Amino acid sequence: TIIFSNLLYEYEAILSLQDASGYILLAENPYNYFILTHQDSMRIFPSLLVFFVSKMGISIENTFKYLTYFSFIWLNYKLFFSLKSFEIKNYLALSSVAILIYHNHSIIYSVFNFYQLLDIISYILILYFIDVLKNKRLFVLFFVSLISIFTKEYLLVLALLAHIKFYHLYKEKLSIISLAIILSVFLVHYNLASDNIVKESSSIFEIIQSIFEKFSLLFNSFYDCMFLNKNFFLFMPFSILFFYKKFIPIIFKNYELTLFSLIPIGFSVFIFDFVGNNFFRVYYHGYFILLFLVLIYMINNILLTNYSKILFFISPSLFLIDYLYIFFNIQNHGFFNFYQVTRYTFLSGFYLFSILIFLILFMELRKKSS
């Protein structure tokens, strides 16, 4: 993937001025933390990492690139062993990694557009949140939470919910202290970021009133997002399991992951006009978690025959059809257009993959009901 990203895609410098200029300025000089936009300054950790690594004599651009590639490899590694921790066999864990990475183009886009390093780091942090709750690692929870609030501000919600879940599971009083420190650091960080810029202030009442005044726009946004732009395809083919009564308890059991996942999904779907072309990047931070839970449940509870396991194992190979098409026909911006439009207009690898997954689910669920 890294090799193909360099063969297929020549990064356009003008994009850095539109989409990642704040991250680049922070990497060049961390003191820009006080003068950039509030959102850019809140997300200082990846840029700070680039700043220190670049002091080894590497250019800012190449540092972003190498750290993104390293993080992508780390994400694959961490994802594989996170899946294996749920007693999933190697070959099924490998296929699950391929599905989570290549089913949606959000992670791959971050490899192509390496200035979006913070996106890949966010996925890695999400996996560590899952790991610390499963293995009772409070210090790691604190450390991951600390990095998270300096990476993407809304990861604070996951840090908060993870601490609540940790206390609920293990009754560790230190988890309350840990959470108090994280919240205190976040408040300081929130108020220091862009400190030299006059911030617009709105009361909670004004924000709530604004939401209710524009309530009808949320449904218009939902329609535009899901149907006019065909983004309902991004929930396929696994969305069927969200209506499967035996999977519902899994969602509630992992309430910290479920509640957090609804934030980026809801934000991207109901405020679609605001996120624009960044829809898929915001959306997948939530759906990635739900898909992770779906795949674990599917492997452990639905794929009960060797035949269905083999079909599941080969299913991600159908994505190669799409990637071969991209390789021979697309350069730069065509990558985005392919995933948003082109692959829905012909019998793409995405459709074939979805048909195969639906077939597996139909066969296995039919056996259970008979």
Side-chain angles (χ1 to χ4, degrees):
T1 299
I2 293 170
I3 292 171
F4 284 165
S5 73
N6 283 275
L7 292 175
L8 283 173
Y9 189 87
E10 182 179 348
Y11 185 76
E12 298 173 85
I14 192 170
L15 289 179
S16 66
L17 301 178
Q18 299 171 356
D19 208 24
S21 58
Y23 307 145
I24 296 170
L25 288 171
L26 280 170
E28 291 174 346
N29 185 355
Y31 284 103
N32 286 325
Y33 171 80
F34 297 105
I35 61 174
L36 291 173
T37 65
H38 194 246
Q39 178 175 280
D40 287 346
S41 295
M42 290 289 288
R43 301 174 174 184
I44 191 175
F45 173 74
S47 296
L48 204 58
L49 197 60
V50 171
F51 171 77
F52 285 113
V53 174
S54 67
K55 293 303 177 184
M56 299 169 61
I58 309 171
S59 69
I60 294 292
E61 178 180 349
N62 283 333
T63 305
F64 266 106
K65 181 186 292 187
Y66 299 149
L67 284 176
T68 297
Y69 295 164
F70 174 78
S71 298
F72 178 64
I73 294 169
W74 188 1
L75 175 61
N76 278 267
Y77 172 86
K78 181 62 182 173
L79 189 51
F80 178 78
F81 285 99
S82 293
L83 288 161
K84 275 184 59 65
S85 71
F86 288 89
E87 299 180 358
I88 293 175
K89 292 183 179 179
N90 286 351
Y91 73 103
L92 295 175
L94 187 63
S95 286
S96 298
V97 170
I99 291 169
L100 284 159
I101 297 291
Y102 297 99
H103 172 263
N104 185 278
H105 55 302
S106 301
I107 296 175
I108 302 305
Y109 174 79
S110 299
V111 178
F112 278 46
N113 184 355
F114 47 79
Y115 283 115
Q116 299 304 325
L117 168 65
L118 81 166
D119 276 359
I120 294 187
I121 291 177
S122 297
Y123 289 114
I124 295 171
L125 292 170
I126 288 169
L127 291 175
Y128 273 100
F129 275 115
I130 296 172
D131 178 64
V132 295
L133 289 172
K134 191 171 184 293
N135 298 298
K136 193 181 178 182
R137 301 167 69 188
L138 180 57
F139 175 76
V140 179
L141 173 59
F142 172 78
F143 185 69
V144 169
S145 298
L146 197 60
I147 293 176
S148 296
I149 61 177
F150 289 99
T151 300
K152 279 205 172 179
E153 61 284 353
Y154 61 77
L155 282 173
L156 172 70
V157 177
L158 183 54
L160 172 63
L161 293 170
H163 275 84
I164 293 172
K165 180 69 173 287
F166 193 94
Y167 182 78
H168 174 233
L169 289 174
Y170 305 114
K171 300 298 184 292
E172 282 270 4
K173 292 182 179 179
L174 280 175
S175 61
I176 299 175
I177 298 173
S178 172
L179 178 58
I181 295 173
I182 294 297
L183 291 175
S184 300
V185 171
F186 180 82
L187 286 173
V188 172
H189 173 44
Y190 185 86
N191 285 285
L192 278 180
S194 306
D195 189 52
N196 294 339
I197 294 178
V198 178
K199 304 182 182 73
E200 296 181 2
S201 60
S202 298
S203 67
I204 295 176
F205 175 76
E206 290 172 336
I207 294 171
I208 294 173
Q209 184 182 28
S210 175
I211 291 173
F212 276 102
E213 286 174 352
K214 300 176 180 178
F215 200 67
S216 62
L217 297 178
L218 301 181
F219 292 96
N220 293 334
S221 177
F222 176 83
Y223 177 77
D224 290 347
C225 171
M226 299 301 287
F227 299 104
L228 290 184
N229 287 272
K230 300 181 180 179
N231 285 315
F232 66 88
F233 282 117
L234 295 178
F235 291 92
M236 301 297 174
F238 300 100
S239 55
I240 188 174
L241 284 175
F242 295 114
F243 301 97
Y244 188 56
K245 63 181 181 180
K246 293 185 178 179
F247 178 66
I248 302 302
I250 303 296
I251 293 179
F252 284 102
K253 181 181 178 181
N254 295 280
Y255 62 83
E256 77 289 353
L257 299 175
T258 304
L259 290 173
F260 170 76
S261 69
L262 295 177
I263 294 174
I265 291 175
F267 187 80
S268 58
V269 170
F270 290 106
I271 317 181
F272 176 68
D273 292 334
F274 178 77
V275 296
N277 288 340
N278 284 325
F279 160 80
F280 66 98
R281 289 175 50 212
V282 179
Y283 144 84
Y284 200 57
H285 273 110
Y287 193 64
F288 174 84
I289 295 172
L290 296 181
L291 188 53
F292 182 87
L293 296 176
V294 163
L295 291 175
I296 292 170
Y297 178 81
M298 185 175 173
I299 292 170
N300 287 333
N301 297 278
I302 296 178
L303 303 182
L304 302 179
T305 65
N306 289 331
Y307 184 67
S308 64
K309 290 176 181 177
I310 292 171
L311 288 177
F312 180 84
F313 173 67
I314 66 172
S315 64
S317 64
L318 294 170
F319 293 140
L320 287 172
I321 296 171
D322 293 347
Y323 282 93
L324 286 171
Y325 179 88
I326 292 171
F327 184 76
F328 289 110
N329 296 280
I330 289 175
Q331 295 289 329
N332 286 6
H333 65 279
F335 175 85
F336 172 82
N337 189 65
F338 172 82
Y339 272 97
Q340 294 298 111
V341 180
T342 310
R343 71 170 177 168
Y344 301 138
T345 60
F346 68 96
L347 194 61
S348 61
F350 172 79
Y351 280 132
L352 294 174
F353 169 81
S354 298
I355 291 169
L356 182 56
I357 295 297
F358 277 127
L359 178 63
I360 295 170
L361 291 172
F362 175 76
M363 290 189 308
E364 291 298 316
L365 295 177
R366 186 182 177 187
K367 285 179 185 177
K368 285 192 172 186
S369 61
S370 61

